[in-house]
Amino acid sequence: MHLIPTQDEVVAVLRETGALRDGHFEYPNGLHSNEYLKVPLAMRYSRHQRMMSVGLSRLFRAHPEIRAIAKDLSMVAPTTGGLALAFGLCDALRARQVYWAEREHEQEALHFRQFLIPETGEPVVLVDDILRTGQRLAELKKLLEAHGARVVGLAVAVYQPNPTTVSFGDLPLYYLAKLDASYYVDGQQCEWCRRGVPLEKV
Ligand SMILES: [Zn+2]
């Protein structure tokens, strides 16, 4: 394994741990897809979590401005899926702290735990397992900036952009693998249904 894992190595780990599966899946919103991807399934194993965190930390170290402030950085995750990576990255960079935002239900705004208040000028790296639409990461960025924190970078294990992905402008974005967006289709027009491929609900 290289110090920065290659795309193929990351994809191999995702497949081997069942985080990335081919098949015929039905999502709660009724859409069908031929791909299932849940990065936390790979993060169950600390060696994989370490490999990905160390890989990302090396990408950050190559960025002189971020390297210079590494010890002051906060790693902040918008989902529990990003936490394993956030702690690993904090450890590998000898950064300052890790925290996360959460919400009880989809209609609620993201918020931090009571007494957890980002500081004015605090340099922050946003960390998540995957960047897909980026909506939750964008909401977290806004929340941090409303407290005066300074977002300096974005780190994810997998970057899977689609035409609706939010732009983060010139914010440095680091990822270990870039995957094509999965193809979603409504059950009625699903090619795999038509071919009689067994369906799994996810
Ligand atoms: Zn189908």
Side-chain angles (χ1 to χ4, degrees), residues 24 32 190 193 199:
H24 178 199
H32 289 204
C190 179
C193 279
L199 180 68

Side-chain angles (χ1 to χ4, degrees), residues 2-67:
H2 303 101
L3 289 171
I4 299 176
T6 63
Q7 161 111 6
D8 288 349
E9 284 168 334
V10 172
V11 169
V13 161
L14 294 173
R15 288 206 180 279
E16 170 196 315
T17 55
L20 177 60
R21 297 161 191 264
D22 293 322
H24 178 199
F25 304 98
E26 184 178 276
Y27 285 79
N29 60 8
L31 293 181
H32 289 204
S33 174
N34 63 334
E35 188 192 87
Y36 172 91
L37 174 60
K38 284 280 183 258
V39 182
L41 287 177
M43 298 293 184
R44 286 179 289 173
Y45 306 104
S46 55
R47 66 184 186 283
H48 298 324
Q49 178 265 4
R50 203 159 44 236
M51 177 269 281
M52 294 196 206
S53 305
V54 170
L56 282 170
S57 77
R58 286 181 185 267
L59 295 174
F60 271 101
R61 281 190 192 283
H63 190 291
E65 285 150 48
I66 294 180
R67 189 177 57 219

Side-chain angles (χ1 to χ4, degrees), residues 90-169:
C90 187
D91 203 34
L93 283 174
R94 297 199 170 82
R96 182 178 167 217
Q97 60 176 348
V98 176
Y99 57 91
W100 59 92
E102 57 199 334
R103 58 171 145 236
E104 307 308 317
H105 48 82
E106 281 308 307
Q107 290 75 32
E108 198 178 45
L110 277 181
H111 58 265
F112 301 115
R113 289 288 172 108
Q114 191 179 14
F115 306 126
L116 203 164
I117 303 161
E119 291 161 18
T120 305
E122 176 183 319
V124 169
V125 173
L126 307 180
V127 186
D128 209 356
D129 58 327
I130 188 162
L131 169 53
R132 221 175 237 142
T133 68
Q135 277 174 13
R136 206 163 156 135
L137 280 161
E139 185 181 341
L140 176 63
K141 181 169 179 282
K142 234 161 115 182
L143 175 64
L144 285 157
E145 287 170 346
H147 286 281
R150 192 163 58 89
V151 176
V152 298
L154 185 53
V156 294
V158 177
Y159 179 40
Q160 193 178 41
N162 66 49
T164 70
T165 301
V166 176
S167 161
F168 289 89

